[in-house]
Amino acid sequence: MVKNVGKHLHAIVISAFTACLSGLIYFTLAMNTGKIIELQEVSKGLLIGLSLSGIYGMITGMLMAFYIVQKQGVVVFNILQLIIPLSTAIVGYIVLNEQINPIQGIGGLIVVIGCIFALKKKKI
């Protein structure tokens, strides 16, 4: 379904629609729970920064995701979804000077091996 929609609509249109829909859902939840009132206590600079980082996150997250689905396909996109948290964890462990325990190492290795097999070209 995602691939068929991606063929007919530009990635920006899909991303904008998804962002608006999720924004309306979260706005409704914030209104119903009363959390929206808490935004009055935050400085305008912080709200502007939050808004800009949200826009940037939507552009890099959704726009790039739909672009990858359109250009490379759903399989490559799903493999990237598996690899990104792993690479983020490795960078985090290096930067924070932490140790990877054996279970995490084995899990990461399984993910990498699975991605290699999924991307491997079949010989005819």
Side-chain angles (χ1 to χ4, degrees), residues 24-37:
L24 288 172
I25 291 170
Y26 282 111
F27 180 73
T28 304
L29 286 171
M31 292 292 286
N32 287 339
T33 59
K35 294 289 183 183
I36 196 81
I37 302 299

Side-chain angles (χ1 to χ4, degrees), residues 30-97:
M31 292 292 286
N32 287 339
T33 59
K35 294 289 183 183
I36 196 81
I37 302 299
E38 293 178 12
L39 290 176
Q40 292 177 344
E41 299 172 10
V42 179
S43 70
K44 290 185 186 200
L46 191 59
L47 285 175
I48 291 170
L50 179 65
S51 299
L52 292 175
S53 68
I55 292 168
Y56 175 74
M58 291 294 204
I59 289 172
T60 57
M62 289 196 308
L63 183 60
M64 292 304 293
F66 287 118
Y67 181 78
I68 291 168
V69 168
Q70 285 178 337
K71 299 297 179 188
Q72 297 292 322
V74 177
V75 172
V76 172
F77 173 70
N78 286 332
I79 289 172
L80 284 174
Q81 281 185 312
L82 290 172
I83 293 291
I84 289 172
L86 179 64
S87 60
T88 304
I90 291 170
V91 170
Y93 283 117
I94 292 169
V95 171
L96 298 174
N97 199 21

